[in-house]
Structure formats: C-alpha cells, structure tokens
Amino acid sequence: MTKFSDLELDPRVLQAVVESGYETPTPIQAQAIPPALRGQDVLGIAQTGTGKTAGFTLPMITLLGQGRARARMPRSLVLAPTRELAAQVAESFDKYAKYTKLTKALLIGGVSFGDQDKLIDRGVDVLIATPGRLLDHFERGKLLLTGVQIMVVDEADRMLDMGFIPDIERIFQMTPKTRQTLFFSATMAPEIERITNTFLNNPAKVEVARQATTNTSIEQKLFAFTPTRKDRSFTEKRAVLRALIRAEGESLTNAIVFCNRKMDVDVVAKSLKSHGFHAAPIHGDLDQSVRTKTLDEFRDGSLRLLIASDVAARGLDIPAVSHVFNFDVPSHPEDYVHRIGRTGRAGRLGKAFSIAVPSDDKYLGAIESLVKQPIPRADLPEGALEGASENSDRARSSRSASSSTSGRGGSRGPRGRDAAPRSESMPHDAIPVIEQFETEEPAPLVPARAQPERAQPERAQPERADRAPQERGERDRRDDRRRDGNRGSAERGEQPAQRSEHRSEPRAEPRADQRSEQPRSEQRNYRSSYPGQHDRIVGMGDHVPDFILRSFRLREVTPDDEDGEATTAA
Ligand code: AMP
C-alpha cells in the first residue's frame, strides 16, 4: 500500500500531513499526487469525502515551494463553486502549508474588496476563489492571471449546475497556456468533457469509485405517506419531520435536514424553532457572516439541526453528523447520494431518513435505480400526523381570535388569512409559518403548458442593505443569485441561456402553487391518482381560453445580462 512518504512530497508538507494524523493516502491522493508532482495535468473524477482536496493541495504546495510571488500576479489559482468550499480549501492550505512560507488569499463574495485587494497587492502564491468574485477583481484591474502556473478547478460539475462554465472558460483563457491544470468533477457531463478536452493537455485520468450509497454505515429509511389533502402536504411533512426527530431521541446528536428549495429551508427552520428545536437555515441567499456563524455552530455542536439547500451543504466537511433527513425527496438522484453521504463518515454510523409523498414516486424510482437498491420503507412514528392537525387547529383558532386584530398580513382574501396574534403560547417564530402555509385557498388553475418544465420559482431577493453597492461586484451578485436556485440544467445538457428556471417577482407571501415541488402537469396527475381528495372544481373548471394555452418562449440572455438568468416572456 502506498504511504505518504512514498509520494515525494516536500518534507515540510509531509510533516504537516503526519501531524494531521493521516497515515496512508486515500485512493484519489495515491493516484493524483504522482502525476501532479511530475507537472502533468490531472483529470480527477471524484466527489467530496474522498480526500481530493489534499489530492491537489499537497502537490501544489510542493511544486510552489520554490519561487516567490509577485504583486498582483498569483502563482496558482483554485476555483471552487461556493464560498464554503473555497473557505474549506483555504483551511486545507493553512493546514498543509504551515511549515512553508507560501501565502494565500481567499477571494469570495460577501467579504469587502479592500482587504482582498491588499493581499493581492502584496503578492500571493495561492489564490482561492469563487469564479464571480475572481472576475470582479480582474475587471477592476487589480489582478493579473498571466503568472498562474497551476490552476485547479474543483467540483466542476457543480460549477456547471450553477452556470459558471462560461466564467471558467474565460478564466482559463486569461491564464497562460503553459499552466498545469488539475481538474476535479464528480461526474463527466458532456459539457464538462468538452471543457476538459479544450483546456487540459494530455491529462492523467484518475477516478475513484462513487461513494457507495449501499455503505453499510448508513441506515436508510423511507417514510412515505399520503397527505390528508394535497394542500396540507407541506404542513404534514413538517409534522412527520418533528415526529421522526423526536422518535430518534438522544441518538440524534445533530442532523442536516435537506429541502429542495431555499424558501422552504427558511420555513422548515422557523417551524422547527417554533416547536422548540434548535434549528437554523443555511442557503445561498443568507448573508455570508450568518452562514459562516451557522456552520461554525453546527460544527462545534452548539446547533443541533441544520436546515439546508443542496448547494449550501454540498461538499461541506462535517465529520460527525448522526442523521440526515430528506424533508423533500431530491428531484436529481445524484443529490440523494450527496445528501446521505453527509452522515456515516469517517467510520461512524449514520442514519438517512427520507420523507415522501405520492408525487415523489418517480424521483424515488430514479434514486433507487441509481443506487441499485430499494430504500427500505418504514412506518411513520405513532401519532406523527397528530402534530399537523394540532398545529392547524391552533392556527385556525388563533385566526378566528384575531379577526378583530390588525395582523401583519392584513386581510388576504375571502378566507381571512390574517396573521395570528403574538402570544406567549405561540413563539414569534411561528407566526410567519402560519401566515404562509395554513391556507385553504385552492391553487389557481394554470394550464400545464404555461409552466416551464421543472421551474423552481423563488422570490427575487432585494439587494442587501448591509453592503454598499461598490462593495459587491456585479459577478458577486450573480454568484449569489446562481447559488442554490440554478440547478439541474447540466443533466439536461442545456446551455445556460436555454435554462427554464425563472425568477418570479417579489411577492408579499408565497402562494400555494409556488411552494409545490412539482410542475403543474404532475399536480394534475396527482389529482387524478388520488380521486376524491381534490374534487372541487376551481378557477375556470374544464374550460381554458385559448390565449392561456399559448406557449411561452425564452428570452436570450448574455453573460452580461443584469439578471444573468433566462426569463420567461409570454
Ligand atoms: P475531501 O474529500 O477533500 O473533502 O476530504 C474529506 C475528509 O477526508 C476531510 O475531513 C479530510 O481531512 C479527510 N482526509 C483527507 N485525506 C485523508 C487521508 N489520507 N486519511 C484520512 N483522512 C483524510
């Protein structure tokens, strides 16, 4: 078996590795480090948890050991798709380069340009960045990439999902052709293959097996149920989640709860808090300082439940997570693998529980065929749904009690969805949850064709007031918008401009149809598969005027487009 001492690493790097407690290189390290040290390009097909970060940082530090950085001309560059991943890479550098004099700068959004400029001006050996922030610095004339000798692209498949590939291509073109490239991706989508064919020179291909989802250290269970009514699905899933958490008792030391959409991340976190759980959300729309604080608390054990979107939690290295909950079944089967891989790490046992409703069936089918095994079904804990009706009753009685109170929401329609009054028996956190989701108003009938496929509506986020506009570069803002909300096109082989995601205008509150994970067409199937539950005729009944059936077209966007996302236009 290969040992670290066989790998011809700089002795100072080797010492830092030994002090980290690592004895033998992981397979990706054993395969990637030798060609990287020879100066060869490397194409690594590996996902997080395989040790790939050290797979590129150790040879980089060794290779950069000689030579000095020049002002504004970094000698190496690491691109990561999210701020958290970039920060994790930076931590690795600190750990493994502690006996060298190498300098580094971390360029991520949410941090002032001034401090980053100062570091770059002094000259850095290693620049670790998210693509948007890097280009912002470049466009401000503060950075030259012509001195880059080694360039690393980490999590390229996630870059593709987030629409960063044009930025990556641009960055490649700004670096010298003679550079060495170390490129890592969990999957080889056609677009990724194209990039590697264009920018990598005769790479050593190293591949490690996908993290086994059959991993016996992860106990998987599926809790499937049929909501009493479709519009109660979200409420009842929250009740099931609470029941599952309670049923696990003290064996649940900490957990990540995954939701498919960031808006739901917020609501689930608020709902759990209002029921006395120690929970906090993490997703791309939260301010960086909040995200960092939340993650730190989760890592140090002071936060028990982290409610997360896929992108925010992807790749985070938190070794001891006892449970993962899929509040939503992921619509991309790969995400199931990534999500449950957050638990059962480093030889520990973990549990991965998924909550499913009938409309998730086809996603479950795709997951089970990917992982090549069924997810064991389990019964809901006793009385799991009682919580949902209590909550609802409490909300209803609060509403009727508040009919003479001017609630925050005011009057919102015939059924009077006023905000509940604040009272000691109802924590303040509970109010928005009830306001938003205890609705009985039927969703308006919209023809299936008018909905973009797999649209993931989200509320446009107002520009944050806590950062001056000049402190936030345009691409930095675009990074923010891309994060979390821009998923899925990679697997469909689409170009960024063809994507069907759209931004909806800000609304006072999300409507029932916006909250659904399903396209309209599937919601209709749902109605027909569960007859009797949705027999009210709403909207225009069977008659749909022609103009509503006209198809939508996508407006072309350029990378410089203010919104940076395709927008639907009638
Ligand atoms: P990564 O895939 O780079 O996110 O690494 C996943 C985890 O594996 C991190 O906690 C690393 O610190 C750890 N790790 C990296 N290399 C080794 C090694 N050779 N032996 C044991 N653990 C390692």
Side-chain angles (χ1 to χ4, degrees), residues 4 17 20-29 47-56 58 85 88 92 95-96 154-155 315-319 342 345-346:
F4 274 113
V17 170
S20 303
Y22 305 149
E23 285 161 13
T24 44
T26 64
I28 191 82
Q29 291 163 0
Q47 54 181 226
T48 54
T50 53
K52 70 180 161 55
T53 316
F56 62 80
L58 302 182
L85 279 170
Q88 238 169 249
S92 275
K95 185 160 79 174
Y96 301 127
D154 195 13
E155 302 250 343
L316 293 180
D317 182 27
I318 303 167
R342 304 295 99 209
R345 284 163 88 88

Side-chain angles (χ1 to χ4, degrees), residues 51-61 78 89 93 152 154 182 184:
K52 70 180 161 55
T53 316
F56 62 80
T57 49
L58 302 182
M60 276 179 86
I61 299 167
V78 180
V89 172
F93 261 98
V152 177
D154 195 13
L182 311 177
F184 292 85

Side-chain angles (χ1 to χ4, degrees), residues 261-264 266-267 270 283 285 432 436-437 456-462 481 502-511 514-515 565:
R261 300 180 319 122
K262 50 194 167 186
M263 193 160 69
D264 295 344
D266 279 330
V267 178
K270 271 184 184 155
H283 59 70
D285 282 351
Q436 289 177 333
F437 295 103
Q456 302 201 352
E458 62 184 71
R459 281 186 284 179
Q461 298 299 315
R481 281 193 295 261
H502 73 279
R503 284 193 311 142
S504 55
E505 288 307 307
R507 283 183 200 273
E509 60 175 345
R511 298 174 64 106
Q514 283 182 299
R515 293 196 309 272
E565 291 175 347

Side-chain angles (χ1 to χ4, degrees), residues 154-174:
D154 195 13
E155 302 250 343
D157 51 334
R158 185 55 44 155
M159 304 261 198
L160 176 62
D161 280 351
M162 295 171 78
F164 283 141
I165 291 298
D167 289 348
I168 300 293
E169 288 192 67
R170 228 187 117 198
I171 295 167
F172 263 124
Q173 279 153 356
M174 286 160 19

